[in-house]
C-alpha cells in the first residue's frame, strides 16, 4: 500500500468484462514471418476491441526485423496488458457472487412464505 496512491474500487467491473469479446484465432504466420508469432490455435482478444473498454491496457510496440542482408524494418503492433485484466475479473466474480447470495436469500424467503 505504501507505494500505491489513489487506491479505489474498480467501478462496474462486471459491466466492463461483459463488453469484452474473447476470440479464438490463428496468427497469419505466413505473411508475418518476421514477427515470429505462435502457430496454431490461440485464444485472446482483439486489441482494438479491448481498447474501447480499457484503453489504458492497450499499447503499441515496435518490433525491428531483418528485411534484407543489411536492411532492417520496423513493424508496429498493438499489445494488451492481459495481466491487468485479472483484478477486474476478480472484482466481477465478487460482484456476481454478491448477486448470487442476494438471490439465494430472496429464494429462501419466498420458499419460507410458500410453506406457511
Amino acid at each position: 500500500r505504501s507505494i500505491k496512491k489513489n487506491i479505489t474500487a474498480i467501478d462496474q467491473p462486471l459491466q466492463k468484462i461483459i463488453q469484452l469479446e474473447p476470440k479464438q484465432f490463428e496468427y497469419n504466420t505466413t505473411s508475418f514471418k518476421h514477427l515470429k508469432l505462435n502457430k496454431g490455435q490461440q485464444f485472446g482478444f482483439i486489441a482494438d476491441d479491448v481498447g474501447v473498454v480499457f484503453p489504458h491496457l492497450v499499447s503499441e510496440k515496435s518490433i525491428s526485423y531483418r528485411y534484407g542482408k543489411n536492411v532492417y524494418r520496423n513493424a508496429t503492433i498493438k499489445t494488451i496488458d492481459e495481466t491487468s485484466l485479472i483484478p477486474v475479473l476478480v472484482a466481477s466474480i465478487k460482484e456476481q457472487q454478491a448477486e448470487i447470495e442476494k438471490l439465494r436469500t430472496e429464494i429462501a424467503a419466498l420458499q419460507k412464505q410458500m410453506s406457511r
Side-chain angles (χ1 to χ4, degrees), residues 47-59 79:
D48 291 329
D49 297 344
V50 173
V52 172
V53 184
F54 298 105
H56 57 285
L57 296 185
V58 178
S59 59
T79 62

Side-chain angles (χ1 to χ4, degrees), residues 26-37 65 67 75:
E26 291 182 19
Y27 286 115
N28 186 346
T29 55
T30 305
S31 298
F32 297 95
K33 290 178 188 173
H34 56 279
L35 296 179
K36 299 177 183 165
L37 300 166
Y65 63 94
Y67 185 70

Side-chain angles (χ1 to χ4, degrees), residues 31-109:
S31 298
F32 297 95
K33 290 178 188 173
H34 56 279
L35 296 179
K36 299 177 183 165
L37 300 166
N38 293 333
K39 293 182 180 184
Q41 206 65 272
Q42 306 293 316
F43 298 94
F45 300 99
I46 305 302
D48 291 329
D49 297 344
V50 173
V52 172
V53 184
F54 298 105
H56 57 285
L57 296 185
V58 178
S59 59
E60 289 189 350
K61 176 181 177 180
S62 183
I63 299 173
S64 182
Y65 63 94
R66 192 179 205 154
Y67 185 70
K69 188 172 183 175
N70 291 318
V71 179
Y72 287 85
R73 288 194 174 171
N74 287 324
T76 303
I77 61 170
K78 289 185 179 182
T79 62
I80 301 168
D81 178 7
E82 293 175 338
T83 302
S84 291
L85 279 176
I86 294 171
V88 182
L89 290 168
V90 171
S92 65
I93 290 169
K94 289 177 74 173
E95 188 177 313
Q96 278 186 331
Q97 192 61 40
E99 182 66 25
I100 290 168
E101 294 304 322
K102 178 183 165 197
L103 292 171
R104 282 183 179 162
T105 302
E106 289 176 12
I107 290 170

Side-chain angles (χ1 to χ4, degrees), residues 2-17:
S2 64
I3 63 171
K4 297 175 182 176
K5 62 181 191 176
N6 301 325
I7 299 170
T8 60
I10 298 171
D11 187 42
Q12 298 181 321
L14 184 57
Q15 195 59 32
K16 290 175 182 173
I17 292 298

